[in-house]
Amino acid sequence: GTFCMTEGDLFEVVRPAHEPLASRMRPQSLEQLVGQNHLLGPGKPLRHAIESGKLHSFLLWGPPGVGKTTLARMVAGYSDALFIQVSAVFSGIKDIRDAVDQARAAAARQRATVLFVDEIHRFNKAQQDALLPGVENRRVVLVAATTENPSFSVIAPLLSRAMLITLTSLTDDEVAAVIVAALDDERGLAGAYALA
């Protein structure tokens, strides 16, 4: 299945009461993002590219829970691009074609599209090949996430058209900062609980 965000969704999210805590606490700006300072610290090229809205295809490689999906949403949000999410676990070539069709419609309205493919290593070669035309003609800006080494799990033509970004696990101090924020923030537990 695919998920599509429309204009303004990233920064104007209506959160249902039953939404999971991690989702409610998803960073809405680079300043709120914890970790990845080697890539997103002040003055770093990736941070500058995202803040300036300069779109480029990326492969985000790293362990679970380090912000791959959040980073993909920020790439779209900072550039006011349409955000389409496809999960390689549940999607196929038809979903890729549908996403490219949505991107074509957005381009007709002078709007870029970020296509986020989660767990791209789960796509077979034919499914990855189906992404190529949209990436080559810049109909979509591909942001793909993987926990597997892309050199072995992503086809060479996609590797050559995307910047490989390696994300690292959060440190203990960074995890503690995330927990404290979730306890205190109004989007989280709003001070209802404290660590003992």
Side-chain angles (χ1 to χ4, degrees), residues 30-68:
L30 289 171
E31 289 72 29
Q32 292 176 355
L33 192 67
V34 175
Q36 313 312 324
N37 288 334
H38 65 294
L39 299 168
L40 300 168
K44 298 292 183 179
L46 182 58
R47 182 186 186 108
H48 176 71
I50 292 171
E51 287 179 334
S52 68
K54 293 180 181 171
L55 294 176
H56 191 281
S57 290
F58 297 104
L59 285 171
L60 303 173
W61 175 28
V66 297
K68 294 184 292 290

Side-chain angles (χ1 to χ4, degrees), residues 13-29:
V13 177
V14 177
R15 301 184 182 284
H18 62 278
E19 185 178 13
L21 179 62
S23 181
R24 292 195 319 257
M25 290 302 300
R26 185 181 302 277
Q28 299 299 305
S29 68

Side-chain angles (χ1 to χ4, degrees), residues 91-115:
S91 304
I93 290 176
K94 180 186 181 309
D95 297 297
I96 295 167
R97 289 185 179 138
D98 289 347
V100 173
D101 287 344
Q102 290 178 53
R104 188 175 294 113
R109 298 186 309 275
Q110 305 300 309
R111 191 164 185 219
T113 298
V114 170
L115 174 59

